[in-house]
Each structure stands twice: as structure tokens, then as C-alpha cells.
Amino acid sequence: MSRGPLPGFRDFYPEQLAERAYITGVWRDIARRFAFVEYDGPPLETLELYTRKSGEEIVGQLYNFTDKGDREVALRPEMTPTLARMVAAKANALRKPVRWFSIPQLFRYERQQKGRLREHFQLNVDILGEPGVTADAELLAVAIEIMRAYGLGPKDVRARVSDRRLLNALLTSAGVKADQLGPVYAAIDKLGREPLEVTREKWLKATGDEDVAIRLEQTILQKDFGKLRATPEMGADVHTAMEEFGKYLELLDALGVREWVDFDLSIVRGLAYYTGTVFELFDASGEFRAICGGGRYDDLLDAIGGVSMPALGFGMGDVVIGELLRARGLMRRNEIGPDYWIASDSEKLLSKVMQVASRVRAAGKSAEYSLRLQTLSRQMKTASSAGAREVIIVAADEAVAVKNLADGSEKRLTLNELIASL
Ligand code: HAM
């Protein structure tokens, strides 16, 4: 019998859990600074919730089975359908816009590779009930401020942004027919993951017209929004979409994150439900998979809950972020050790040690002591390896010495003074 977990699953020993707690702690902190409120849903849902709208790729990766009540169910591979279901069910009662975040563990039967496991924790930040582009800017700013909080800068991480409405209008203007959009999009999504030659052939096959395929390529590969905007005669739809997108970029500037952002029409996102702005965050060196991805999905609540409500959001996984922080020397751990280690130099004082530990704990601090008799120097070593921040050495009288293990400083006071100072 193997001693390890299933392929693609992780054991979290305390050190690893302390790293995960650091990653998720930053997520919570920044989401709350932007006034998002935390929610959660069930890890098991009906299979149908995902087969309806998520798209082929994710449905092919489902952990699904028939339960003992003959229901077709699946472990959640993403949070968005659950969120759409929950918000649609109480749409009238909720204050709008809904600004919610969640940190679910998700399950996808993926081919194991760098940055991709079969379970991961994913921050989800979503805004529901707001159609305007201010919400799109606010959302992307959350993802970028999280990067900043980890100590990363715009030279380390780039946000690549696009808009499906703009892309649709541009493709139509380039001569792509409505029924050709599907395969054209699928080929765009694979750009960068397969040779350009292969993508070109797919575009040619989809459109059946060499001129259209060339115009299409020139448009998609244009990374300068200003130049694209200056192209004459592209029709009213393109013009409207350009205006909106231009406003989006201006708002990102106002929020202080514009320098992180690149215009990139090749970002279309694999999931089927996106309808407007779409974005992904990548490390600038291109070593890692996407850190985060999201966008606007204005039709999903209608499809899942019969409620018409615009929505947008993103998901950010703990796996790629962890790899990136480790590679850049920026990984931190939340503290594992106790605040205080209680020690004494005499066996007779064990009950006193235990009483002091109780009082420290009652005052809201964590305390540990040796469960078996040890010399004082041994207790100091154990305290240090446990990661305790300070050692309280008790004596037969009321005096205690408090030793700081980080800087070696020591202070002497009475037990009552110590407890009062906690
Ligand atoms: P997604 O692009 O499928 O979007 O996933 C978002 C992020 O989750 C990815 O960029 C990546 O960091 C992480 N991730 C995804 N799959 C794995 C995996 N197998 N192993 C490790 N990390 C992974 C969504 O899931 C959308 N529901 C996000 C969203 C929320 N859109 C709107 N609201």
C-alpha cells in the first residue's frame, strides 16, 4: 500500500499548511480591503450544473459518480456555477451589486503537469448585478493588488486583457461569419501553446478564405490598442466596443494598476460562459501556467437560475502562485509555534507550570510546556525547535523570567504583571 496521496492530490504537513495559510491569508486580506464578503457552497453538486454551461474541457475533467440515491453528482471543478445558482435563488433579496469572495477546494481530473494538480484551492472574487465597466476595472484591480501584496511588481507579473465583444466585432469586420466564430475562437485559445503555423491552418480551414485569415491574424496579433483603435473604417460595432474598452483602461489607470496591464486579443479563456472583458495573469518570464483568469459572464445566471443579472469574476489558484513565490524567494509561512513556552528548573514546579499555561491560554495566547520532565536547557532547546516566540521560566515564588528567543533579551517581573501585560 502506498504511503502517499493519490496522484495530483497533496498532503499538507504543518509546514505546507503554514504556506497555504499565508497564500490564502493574503487573498482574504485584499478581498476584504476591497469590501468583498466571504461565502461558501457545497463541494458536491449535481452533474447537470456543469454540463449545461461550463464547456467541454472542464466537463471532460469532472470527478462524477452516481450517489446512493441514484443522483448524478460531481465534485466541484469550479465555483462559478455554484455562485450563479446561489445568487439566482435569492436574487431579489440580495443587496446589489453583490461583492462576494470564496476560497473553495476544487477537483479536476487533469493530466498532471507543472502548475496543474487534481485538487487546488482557488480564490473566487465576483461582482453580480453591475453591467458597467467600472466593475470590470474594480475586479482586475483586486487580482493585481494581491500580486503586489506578495511583493511582486509589474515586471514580475502581467495582466493580459481582452474583450469578447470587441473581438467579435473585429472578427466580423474582418469577414469572419457568425458560424465560423466557434472554431476561430478555439484556435485563438491555443495560440502560444501550439506553433503559429498550426493556428494559421485552423483559421484558414474555419474561414475558407485566405484574405479573411490574414486580416484575422493581423488583428489578433496587434498588441497596441491605440494603433488598432486608429484603424479606419471598421464599423459602428467595433467603434462602440473600442470606446468601452478604452474607458476600461482609463479606469485601471485611476485605480493605479494600468502599468501591469497589456492589451492582448489572444486571451479568450477556455470556459464557455464569458461574454465581455476577459483577462489572465501570467508571470512576465512565461515560465509558469496562468496565475489567474476571469471575465464577464452576463448570461450565466439566466442559463442556471432563470434570472437575468450581469456578472463578472475571476479565479486564482494556490498552485501556480506557490510555484512563483518559491521561485522568486517570496514564499512566507504563517507562524506555527506557540506564543509562549512555559519552563521551570524543578520537577516540583510542574503543577505551577501547568497553572501558568492555563492563565496564559485564558488570556488568549497560545502556550505549551514539556509533558515530561526535562532539564531547563533541554526545555529551552525544545521551545526553540517548536518555534515558540518567548519562554516563561517560573520559580517557586511569584517571580518569572521571560526570555525572547529571537533576540535573546530577558525581562523579570511577577506572574500577575505578566498576565496583565498579555
Ligand atoms: P479557470 O481559468 O479554469 O477559471 O481557473 C482559474 C485559475 O485556477 C487558473 O488560472 C489556475 O491558477 C487555477 N487552476 C485551474 N485549474 C487548476 C488545476 N487543475 N490545478 C491547479 N490550479 C488550477 C475558472 O475556474 C473560473 N470559474 C474563474 C471565474 C470565477 N470566472 C468568473 N468567476
Side-chain angles (χ1 to χ4, degrees):
M1 183 119 158
S2 158
R3 290 181 160 209
L6 282 167
F9 286 75
R10 294 169 289 178
D11 292 329
F12 289 93
Y13 287 87
E15 286 74 18
Q16 284 111 37
L17 191 70
E19 291 186 349
R20 192 178 101 199
Y22 170 66
I23 290 175
T24 55
V26 168
W27 286 349
R28 258 195 195 93
D29 179 30
I30 302 298
R32 285 184 182 145
R33 278 196 226 175
F34 277 80
F36 285 77
V37 182
E38 191 164 3
Y39 71 98
D40 201 0
L44 197 67
E45 290 271 17
T46 63
L47 177 62
E48 198 202 354
L49 187 65
Y50 306 108
T51 50
R52 247 195 275 172
K53 246 341 210 165
S54 292
E56 261 170 59
E57 189 177 358
I58 222 169
V59 169
Q61 298 169 338
L62 283 173
Y63 274 92
N64 60 304
F65 58 95
T66 312
D67 77 2
K68 288 175 179 164
D70 270 337
R71 292 175 209 90
E72 292 297 328
V73 295
L75 285 172
R76 58 186 176 192
E78 59 157 337
M79 196 61 177
T80 316
T82 297
L83 172 69
R85 179 178 65 65
M86 287 170 63
V87 172
K90 296 207 172 187
N92 289 332
L94 296 170
R95 180 175 75 86
K96 267 137 331 260
V98 173
R99 299 166 72 107
W100 284 4
F101 79 96
S102 189
I103 306 181
Q105 188 176 24
L106 305 177
F107 305 88
R108 300 182 188 182
Y109 198 87
E110 292 240 19
R111 196 168 55 81
Q112 247 201 102
Q113 49 194 308
K114 196 171 150 200
R116 290 289 175 268
L117 299 174
R118 290 182 175 164
E119 54 73 27
H120 71 284
F121 290 84
Q122 191 189 82
L123 169 68
N124 276 249
V125 179
D126 293 82
I127 302 175
L128 301 98
E130 179 48 59
V133 77
T134 43
D136 300 74
E138 178 87 342
L139 182 77
L140 182 53
V142 179
I144 292 175
E145 290 302 344
I146 288 171
M147 296 300 112
R148 219 197 293 265
Y150 288 128
L152 296 160
K155 287 203 175 72
D156 307 305
V157 173
R158 304 301 304 167
R160 288 152 65 177
V161 301
S162 177
D163 189 317
R164 282 198 177 185
R165 289 161 297 198
L166 175 60
L167 184 59
N168 270 339
L170 284 166
L171 294 182
T172 307
S173 153
V176 179
K177 309 253 169 358
D179 62 338
Q180 299 167 348
L181 284 173
V184 167
Y185 263 60
I188 296 174
D189 192 36
K190 293 254 156 57
L191 258 178
R193 277 185 280 160
E194 58 188 21
L196 186 57
E197 275 313 307
V198 177
T199 313
R200 276 194 186 124
E201 268 167 42
K202 287 183 178 171
W203 283 337
L204 185 58
K205 188 165 168 242
T207 58
D209 184 324
E210 205 157 333
D211 289 340
V212 174
I214 289 170
R215 279 202 296 276
L216 170 66
E217 179 175 332
Q218 284 167 346
T219 308
I220 300 293
L221 300 185
Q222 175 57 268
K223 307 280 181 206
D224 187 331
F225 179 66
K227 273 197 191 141
L228 193 66
R229 202 175 190 178
T231 316
E233 291 166 37
M234 288 208 291
D237 285 354
V238 174
H239 185 73
T240 313
M242 287 277 192
E243 288 290 297
E244 276 294 288
F245 199 80
K247 221 190 291 170
Y248 176 49
L249 295 179
E250 276 168 31
L251 294 168
L252 289 171
D253 198 22
L255 287 169
V257 297
R258 177 66 182 89
E259 61 172 332
W260 298 68
V261 177
D262 296 322
F263 172 65
D264 190 340
L265 286 172
S266 72
I267 298 296
V268 294
R269 310 265 306 124
L271 289 157
Y273 46 66
Y274 293 108
T275 54
T277 51
V278 279
F279 65 89
E280 287 185 342
L281 263 57
F282 287 90
D283 71 295
S285 67
E287 268 172 79
F288 302 96
R289 298 287 300 257
I291 297 168
C292 147
R296 193 169 262 288
Y297 50 95
D298 283 348
D299 302 333
L300 188 65
L301 269 83
D302 193 19
I304 282 178
V307 172
S308 154
M309 195 191 284
L312 62 159
F314 70 79
M316 181 185 294
D318 66 328
V319 180
V320 180
I321 265 294
E323 290 174 350
L324 178 61
L325 294 181
R326 257 174 240 120
R328 300 283 176 270
L330 290 169
M331 180 58 99
R332 305 272 175 274
R333 273 180 194 168
N334 280 6
E335 306 253 14
I336 300 179
D339 299 317
Y340 292 99
W341 190 278
I342 323 295
S344 76
D345 61 359
S346 156
E347 189 183 353
K348 296 199 191 84
L349 292 175
L350 181 61
S351 63
K352 176 123 187 220
V353 163
M354 294 168 89
Q355 282 161 15
V356 172
S358 297
R359 289 184 66 182
V360 170
R361 289 165 182 162
K365 300 288 179 188
S366 56
E368 186 178 346
Y369 53 89
S370 302
L371 295 176
R372 60 172 68 162
L373 185 66
Q374 287 179 327
T375 62
L376 184 56
S377 73
R378 187 78 233 151
Q379 291 174 70
M380 297 303 284
K381 284 200 187 98
T382 317
S384 171
S385 66
R389 281 168 280 297
E390 297 194 293
V391 182
I392 300 171
I393 303 162
V394 304
D397 57 11
E398 271 296 290
V400 293
V402 181
K403 198 171 165 76
N404 185 303
L405 289 182
D407 60 18
S409 66
E410 192 176 310
K411 58 185 179 210
R412 290 175 179 279
L413 59 178
T414 68
L415 185 55
N416 283 338
E417 284 166 350
L418 171 69
I419 300 295
S421 76
L422 302 179

